[in-house]
Amino acid sequence: TFIFSVADVSGKGISAAMFMVMAHTLLRKLAASGRPPSEVMNEINRFLLEQNETGMFVTMFLGYYDIKKGTVRYANAGHPQPFCMNKEGTLRRFGEVTGVPLGISDVFECEEKKETLKIDETLVLYTDGFPEARTSTGEFLNEKRFQDLIVEQSQMSAKRLSEVLFQKVTSFQQKKLADDLTLLVLRRG
């Protein structure tokens, strides 16, 4: 099983970085113990609530990928839904949001769901810095253009797809990033 996650913290600066470090440290410990994604998310939420004096929160997608079967057990705490693309370039949303962001509510239950990646399907996980990328004049890249960028690169390897998406979104912003960019691309072979 390959365990992966993509997360984004609200806010900027040292306090936001420290908040994410706490979430990441706990994530690594809990996921390595073999606990299910939903339990890991619920535990991280409890911990962050105790530490949260500034009202920050973390969105997170946590997946457990069975490489042989192609199944992904996951929990999604308020993070943008990933995209899944087949080799013909048809794009669909992958999974669903199964809970609210971490660190904002003690009435929290993040469900676990399961999806399957078919042979040659590509999973694209990202932070909102991609569709919310903007030019110096305030024009947003937006969700539709981001999807089009993914589809245009459908014949590329996962590594090359991630490189090209970063290049194109950075160029769109004239190399002045408005938000952080995190991207994870997996392809089932």
Side-chain angles (χ1 to χ4, degrees):
T1 301
F2 174 67
I3 299 174
F4 62 92
S5 72
V6 172
D8 196 9
V9 66
S10 63
K12 299 199 183 313
I14 299 292
S15 58
M18 293 306 295
F19 201 68
M20 184 57 93
V21 166
M22 288 189 298
H24 181 258
T25 302
L26 190 56
L27 168 67
R28 288 179 59 112
K29 178 182 171 197
L30 294 171
S33 74
R35 292 172 70 175
S38 57
E39 282 184 28
V40 171
M41 294 289 221
N42 292 330
E43 189 64 33
I44 292 171
N45 185 66
R46 278 191 289 280
F47 178 78
L48 292 179
L49 276 173
E50 293 170 6
Q51 308 300 318
N52 196 357
E53 298 171 6
T54 58
M56 286 185 282
F57 60 88
V58 174
T59 66
M60 183 182 295
F61 185 102
L62 171 61
Y64 292 29
Y65 177 47
D66 182 320
I67 297 167
K68 290 181 182 172
K69 296 178 183 174
T71 56
V72 179
R73 291 173 36 227
Y74 71 92
N76 182 346
H79 200 75
Q81 281 178 271
F83 290 110
C84 184
M85 179 174 58
N86 66 18
K87 64 182 177 181
E88 289 79 31
T90 303
L91 201 64
R92 66 175 170 90
R93 289 287 184 180
F94 185 88
E96 59 188 85
V97 176
T98 64
V100 297
L102 303 166
I104 59 173
S105 175
D106 56 358
V107 182
F108 180 89
E109 193 62 40
C110 195
E111 291 182 69
E112 179 178 318
K113 298 283 184 172
K114 185 162 98 172
E115 289 269 337
T116 300
L117 276 179
K118 296 179 182 136
I119 300 292
D120 292 327
E121 280 191 322
T122 302
L123 185 60
V124 179
L125 295 101
Y126 60 95
T127 54
D128 61 5
F130 280 89
E132 294 176 6
R134 59 187 173 272
T135 64
S136 57
T137 61
E139 176 189 0
F140 283 90
L141 180 68
N142 74 41
E143 196 77 30
K144 171 76 170 89
R145 283 196 267 192
F146 181 54
Q147 291 176 32
D148 290 345
L149 284 177
I150 295 169
V151 171
E152 287 168 12
Q153 322 317 316
S154 66
Q155 300 305 310
M156 295 182 174
S157 68
K159 181 178 187 268
R160 187 68 186 133
L161 172 61
S162 62
E163 291 169 349
V164 169
L165 288 174
F166 267 105
Q167 289 168 354
K168 290 189 178 282
V169 172
T170 302
S171 293
F172 178 81
Q173 297 182 91
Q174 293 98 23
K175 300 186 182 183
K176 294 179 180 141
L177 301 184
D179 195 0
D180 58 326
L181 300 173
T182 303
L183 183 71
L184 175 64
V185 179
L186 300 171
R187 178 167 294 149
R188 183 173 180 207

